[in-house]
Amino acid sequence: MDLLARDARTLWHPYTQHGLDPQPLAVVGAKGAWLQLADGARKLDAISSWWSCLHGHAEPRIVAAIAAQAAALDHVLFAGCTHEPAVALAEELLALAPRQAGRPALARVFYSDDGSTAVESALKMAIGAWVRRGETARTTLIALEGAYHGDTFGAMSAGDPTPFFREFGPFLFHVVRVPPEAEALEAALKAQSGRVAGMIVEPLVQGAAGMRMHSEAFLREARRLCDAHDTLLIADEVMTFGRTGSVTACERAGIAPDLLCLAKGLSGGTLPLAATLATEEIFDAFRSEERSRAFFHGHTFTGNPIACAAARASLALMREHQVPARLDAIGSRIESALAPLREDARVRELRRCGGIVALELEAADPGYLAGLGERLRTACRAQPEVLLRPLGNVLYALPPACMSDVEADQVADAISAVARSA
Ligand SMILES: Cc1ncc(COP(=O)(O)O)c(C=O)c1O
């Protein structure tokens, strides 16, 4: 029986409507920006395999780091044990973390596995730190409209319930949702005074919402208002890490959060690895001579040495190849190629932040479940040489840094063709 038939009998794919979606692409290999399909075709990975592949697939230095680390120390529990890859990576992450004059630096790294667990850790740290200081009324979180922070229960609570999580409403905790406007945020902070554990934000670009973008000025206001109202700012940079023209979106805006979540591109997109960075003040709330005050959170593969080694190789490449600047240049090229579409009445907006380019089409029912989205999916799938996946009525490119100018033009051509056909 061939692979697709075996897949159809056995598997349940993520974010897939098995009653609607076509058979998956059978992928046998990946190199650079290209995926090699079982039928001999190749596709450009224009969306970096769910926003994770930072440099390109099978990047030789990351592959070598993974192989060497797997042979030396594959895994060891991270409670009561430590190792060089985890310590060195933590040092490197703290060195590149966003800084802001007059604010405490991010000083501690807590590892987990993916974006959702990085967010869960941050939320539990924020809430737990308040509780340990005797502030037990801090049961509200502020988040943005359209936010997406992952699929576990805490992350779902922080995320906008529409369109994904409505059915779980009774099981999600209390969140006040605001648009990315300083006045709305200030009003919410005032109304919830003394009850806010923190504000969580996908800085500059809200990915799953359809690559929605807000200003650096809003982020600076969010930082200022969280300080003024004595609450914590949690930056979810799971998607934006390396992609916005700076190492972090917070750095681009000139702010430092109290908690910072990283995943996806952290390992260069090769292995599941996440990190939640916290200030020493938050860490100190849990440090005690009483065991009961510890942070009781951890996952089997916390601090996995192979994933940490991959991340160290990825960070070295990021520095040496100036990945944020390269992605910015690729994004700029794709945006320029798509610019003529701005004149098309069917186009609502063409927007870009660093290496992230989004083309939003007019739709009667905009959003992830837009009717137009189904037509776009079909048209994307029909693109012979480029892998695209719309977010409802939004087409976007989020390429890896190895993408050449010719390949970037190919991606722009494919987006343009899909937009015109649908
Ligand atoms: C901003 C943001 N946070 C969290 C997540 C969840 O990450 P993961 O899918 O690795 O759990 C995502 C995933 O798309 C994301 O974009």
Side-chain angles (χ1 to χ4, degrees), residues 51 114-117 119 148-151 202 207-208 236 238-239 263-264:
W51 321 340
D114 50 48
S116 303
T117 52
V119 168
Y148 177 80
H149 297 287
D151 292 341
E202 294 158 86
D236 175 355
V238 165
M239 191 270 288
K264 290 190 183 279

Side-chain angles (χ1 to χ4, degrees), residues 253-274:
I255 61 153
D258 299 284
L259 291 154
L260 175 72
C261 307
L262 304 174
K264 290 190 183 279
L266 176 58
S267 66
T270 56
L271 287 167
L273 177 69

